[in-house]
Amino acid sequence: MSGIIIKGQNKLNGEVNISGMKNSAVAIILSCIAIPGVFTIRNVPQIDDVKTAKEILLCFGATIYDMDEETIRIDSTNVKNATISKSLMQKMRASYYVAGASLTRFGEFSIHLPGGCNIGKRPIDQHLKAFKAMGAEVCDGNIISAKSNDLDECCFTFDFKTVGGTINAILASLRLKKTILKNVAQEPYIGDLIDFLNCCGANITGFGTDELVIKGIENINNCSYTIMPDYIEAGTYIAATAIAGGNVKINNVVPSHLEKIVESFSKIGIEVLKDSNSLRVISNGEYRGTNIETAPYPGFPTDMQPIMAALLSAADGESTIKEKVFENRFGFIGSLNKMGADITQDGDKLYITGVEKLSGASIEAVDLRAGAALIVAALGANGITTITNEGHIMRGYPLIVNKLKQIGANIDYIN
Ligand code: EPU
């Protein structure tokens, strides 16, 4: 049985380099379906979701050259429309970006529903509503298909903020002369995708506000682009250092993306010093409880919620966590309680009473961030923890075992 084994309570010291953002990498790679050209993409994280995105792109007939471990060159000049197999679509959530990208390139798409973490119902009604507003006729069933009637202009307002809906609508709108999207999500990695598309010749303005204006893409440039750093990966290493204790410099970050995260750590007494593109975390393993509520950016990110729950399980005092983005992102509670945590759930809220120390246990990762939360818990726990189903973690954390080892964690793979 494969897994990850961790002997807890080694202090973490040294430097860790943050990789490119998972959620922009997959969106940027799949956006190449929409636009014919040759694109060099740097700082691509070595994660399984990127492998899946590349596999999907190959099915469309793109050529991908691996220039080095973190640089790829995509030639999407000759891509042809394709329907991706259900099993490949269901390897991750972002696979549904082929829908918006195909609408732009081919005027149609046909997709199976995507997979991804099981953290709620995750419908795609807002994506389909946006496509319809752009003139597409949508057939919604087990296979969702759409054909575009060409519209020149479109204005669409999302009912609520959705990251995937915003990205899919941006990708689909590149075909139109002018699109206005209102009530859009503002996660920094959406800005990363927009910067990439603008670098390729698109004209998208308004990022950072509620409204985007997209004036399509006419002349495509073969561009070279560097993916922004992953602020959730950075937040995970802050939490790891906080619980284990130590002094770690976290390199290659954009501190402004981590404002809410750093604020939450300082509220519990963990010092995070900011530099222009790095952070330093200093912890003696002691910190207090707090109350956290997740929200779309610039609020506290739902992706950090399981990781904070693990950390707060060993805090001094009581904490609460309210999950307001997904209905069911608490799949880690059983495992943390098995490690001695005291967490109870009431609907969308967790009540956590901090314990002195967590204890090692044999536990299972149920999704990506729940898996990361278990690693964080294990780093601070007494004794040995084994985590199975580690494939979830490999979808989104580049070289996590090696990176943690480098800063002194006692962690390894088991086969
Ligand atoms: N929603 C709908 N209808 C829609 C779209 C969304 O009801 O048409 C709901 C969702 O069910 C959810 C909420 O709206 O309750 C927000 O969903 P959103 O669309 O913003 O999330 P997503 O696009 O499915 C992305 C990230 C997630 C991250 C969320 C929120 C990718 C590939 N995934 O998901 O990342 O948690 O935004 O920030 O970008 C992760 O990295 O572990 C992860 C799950």
Side-chain angles (χ1 to χ4, degrees):
M1 192 178 47
S2 72
I4 293 175
I5 184 162
I6 298 167
K7 186 162 182 284
Q9 292 203 23
N10 269 23
K11 294 233 177 303
L12 303 184
N13 285 294
E15 299 192 17
V16 64
N17 294 328
I18 297 306
S19 301
M21 182 92 209
K22 165 180 88 81
N23 291 345
S24 17
V26 288
I28 287 171
I29 291 171
L30 293 176
S31 77
C32 296
I33 294 168
I35 44 177
V38 181
F39 311 107
T40 304
I41 305 169
R42 301 178 199 282
N43 204 28
V44 179
Q46 298 175 62
I47 51 173
D48 286 352
D49 275 11
V50 160
K51 285 189 196 147
T52 303
K54 286 162 76 178
E55 224 178 300
I56 291 174
L57 209 56
L58 291 175
C59 295
F60 277 84
T63 315
I64 306 175
Y65 308 92
D66 290 320
M67 313 293 285
D68 63 42
E69 281 174 346
E70 295 187 336
T71 308
I72 57 174
R73 180 167 293 159
I74 294 173
D75 184 345
S76 63
T77 319
N78 295 315
V79 307
K80 303 257 177 318
N81 203 356
T83 300
I84 301 302
S85 69
K86 187 173 172 184
S87 58
L88 184 52
M89 281 297 286
Q90 296 198 336
K91 277 191 172 176
M92 68 172 179
R93 190 74 194 158
S95 53
Y96 58 10
Y97 297 147
V98 303
S102 297
L103 268 184
T104 278
R105 184 79 176 262
F106 313 112
E108 59 182 354
F109 70 79
S110 171
I111 61 162
H112 293 272
L113 282 170
C117 293
N118 185 7
I119 51 182
K121 292 199 266 321
R122 307 187 84 177
I124 61 165
D125 55 299
Q126 297 300 303
H127 305 231
L128 303 185
K129 257 178 137 172
F131 295 156
K132 285 179 193 162
M134 291 176 198
E137 282 169 35
V138 177
C139 272
D140 188 359
N142 282 339
I143 292 190
I144 299 170
S145 60
K147 245 187 193 330
S148 190
N149 298 312
D150 278 340
L151 276 187
D152 273 355
E153 297 202 356
C154 150
C155 178
F156 176 73
T157 306
F158 289 98
D159 295 337
F160 46 84
K161 295 207 185 293
T162 149
V163 165
T166 302
I167 291 179
N168 240 338
I170 293 171
L171 295 176
S173 72
L174 296 173
R175 173 185 181 86
L176 276 58
K177 284 211 174 70
K178 184 174 176 189
T179 304
I180 298 176
L181 297 176
K182 296 187 179 181
N183 197 23
V184 292
Q186 294 175 29
E187 270 64 8
Y189 46 92
I190 299 177
D192 209 24
L193 170 69
I194 290 173
D195 287 344
F196 169 70
L197 293 172
N198 283 345
C199 173
C200 297
N203 180 345
I204 305 173
T205 52
F207 182 70
T209 72
D210 256 10
E211 186 173 309
L212 293 175
V213 179
I214 302 145
K215 293 201 179 134
I217 188 160
E218 277 175 11
N219 300 315
I220 294 159
N221 310 321
N222 292 341
C223 80
S224 175
Y225 188 79
T226 302
I227 291 174
M228 65 173 238
D230 191 324
Y231 58 92
I232 303 297
E233 189 195 10
T236 306
Y237 284 98
I238 302 177
T241 312
I243 199 165
N247 182 335
V248 173
K249 184 164 174 250
I250 301 176
N251 296 319
N252 187 30
V253 300
V254 179
S256 62
H257 295 165
L258 281 126
E259 233 155 65
K260 204 72 192 179
I261 295 174
V262 167
E263 188 187 301
S264 302
F265 281 102
S266 74
K267 269 198 339 206
I268 65 172
I270 296 294
E271 200 178 354
V272 183
L273 308 170
K274 291 186 207 165
D275 212 333
S276 56
N277 63 355
S278 68
L279 300 172
R280 181 173 290 283
V281 193
I282 302 167
S283 166
N284 60 5
E286 302 282 321
Y287 50 89
R288 52 189 175 271
T290 189
N291 303 319
I292 287 176
E293 209 171 281
T294 67
Y297 193 85
F300 186 85
T302 168
D303 293 343
M304 280 297 294
Q305 177 269 109
I307 294 152
M308 288 311 275
L311 184 64
L312 295 173
S313 296
D316 185 10
E318 314 274 322
S319 301
T320 62
I321 293 186
K322 195 163 183 174
E323 171 55 60
K324 290 175 64 186
V325 179
F326 290 104
E327 311 91 32
N328 184 21
R329 207 171 194 171
F330 291 143
F332 52 84
I333 297 175
S335 289
L336 288 182
N337 282 350
K338 197 171 169 193
M339 295 179 78
D342 180 354
I343 307 177
T344 51
Q345 179 185 352
D346 180 11
D348 63 359
K349 201 162 178 183
L350 297 187
Y351 294 87
I352 305 175
T353 302
V355 297
E356 182 63 34
K357 280 278 172 239
L358 296 169
S359 316
S362 294
I363 47 183
E364 189 187 343
V366 292
D367 63 60
L368 168 59
R369 306 301 170 187
L374 300 187
I375 290 187
V376 166
L379 290 169
N382 268 324
I384 291 176
T385 299
T386 54
I387 303 172
T388 51
N389 242 340
E390 75 289 358
H392 287 296
I393 304 169
M394 301 312 147
R395 282 190 40 220
Y397 283 91
L399 311 171
I400 187 166
V401 167
N402 292 353
K403 287 189 187 189
L404 282 169
K405 251 191 206 173
Q406 260 172 29
I407 50 174
N410 192 339
I411 180 169
D412 231 318
Y413 290 107
I414 37 175
N415 292 305

